[in-house]
Amino acid sequence: MDRTDLGILAAMQEDATLSVGDLAEIVSISKSACWRRIQKLEEQGVIRGRVTLLNPGALDLSLTVFIAIKTNQHNERWAQQFNAVTESIPGVMEVYRMGGDVDYLVKAVVKGMPGYDALYQELIKADLYDVSASFVMEELKQTTALPLRS
């Protein structure tokens, strides 16, 4: 990956609606060369998709919660059940298997405390050992852009 690829990626992270022509102009290459590079980056899995980012507050999803989960079951059957449960809950945005004191960390967005309670009731169907939640009071920084070096 060279400086041009990184330039394309940086521009696309900033605005995925840019046309191939706009991207080509930004990185100073032809449209066809830019299109080939984008296709290659997609084939390599560097570009996973292009999305529209929504404002949760504008959609009445005013509460972001981080849920720390501990389990006393570390087997494939339980893991599959946990994955199925978290996949089925619309408010669950991210799920991470962790090292350290917590086994899993879940990020969710919900419509206030009643929304969290409903999510919690669905989540505990996964037969959890210990669940604790931390609620976001203020978002200081949020980005989807990965740090790219050229």
Side-chain angles (χ1 to χ4, degrees), residues 85-100:
V85 167
T86 56
E87 281 290 327
S88 73
I89 303 171
V92 171
M93 305 300 293
E94 301 172 30
V95 180
Y96 301 95
R97 187 166 62 90
M98 308 292 289

Side-chain angles (χ1 to χ4, degrees), residues 5-146:
D5 288 333
L6 292 174
I8 291 169
L9 293 172
M12 290 180 77
Q13 281 192 125
E14 185 69 31
D15 183 358
T17 66
L18 290 171
S19 69
V20 174
D22 291 337
L23 288 167
E25 189 174 315
I26 289 168
V27 297
S28 302
I29 60 174
S30 72
K31 286 183 192 179
S32 58
C34 186
W35 177 242
R36 285 192 302 274
R37 285 174 178 261
I38 292 168
Q39 286 180 314
K40 184 178 176 187
L41 291 166
E42 288 174 337
E43 289 167 5
Q44 293 172 335
V46 175
I47 298 173
R48 294 189 319 185
R50 302 177 205 186
V51 299
T52 298
L53 301 175
L54 306 178
N55 177 348
L59 298 168
D60 196 27
L61 297 167
S62 58
L63 185 61
T64 300
V65 57
F66 289 89
I67 306 160
I69 296 171
K70 294 181 184 179
T71 180
N72 57 7
Q73 301 184 55
H74 298 277
N75 60 68
E76 188 174 339
R77 187 178 67 77
W78 182 88
Q80 289 174 350
Q81 175 190 0
F82 179 72
N83 286 339
V85 167
T86 56
E87 281 290 327
S88 73
I89 303 171
V92 171
M93 305 300 293
E94 301 172 30
V95 180
Y96 301 95
R97 187 166 62 90
M98 308 292 289
D101 293 338
V102 172
D103 294 311
Y104 294 89
L105 185 63
V106 176
K107 177 184 176 185
V109 293
V110 293
K111 291 184 176 192
M113 196 55 70
Y116 171 69
D117 185 48
L119 183 141
Y120 175 81
Q121 296 302 322
E122 289 298 311
L123 194 59
I124 61 174
K125 291 178 180 176
D127 191 22
L128 307 175
Y129 171 70
D130 184 35
V131 179
S132 64
S134 297
F135 302 97
V136 174
M137 293 172 47
E138 178 183 13
E139 183 179 282
L140 301 176
K141 179 181 179 180
Q142 191 282 330
T143 183
T144 60
L146 296 176

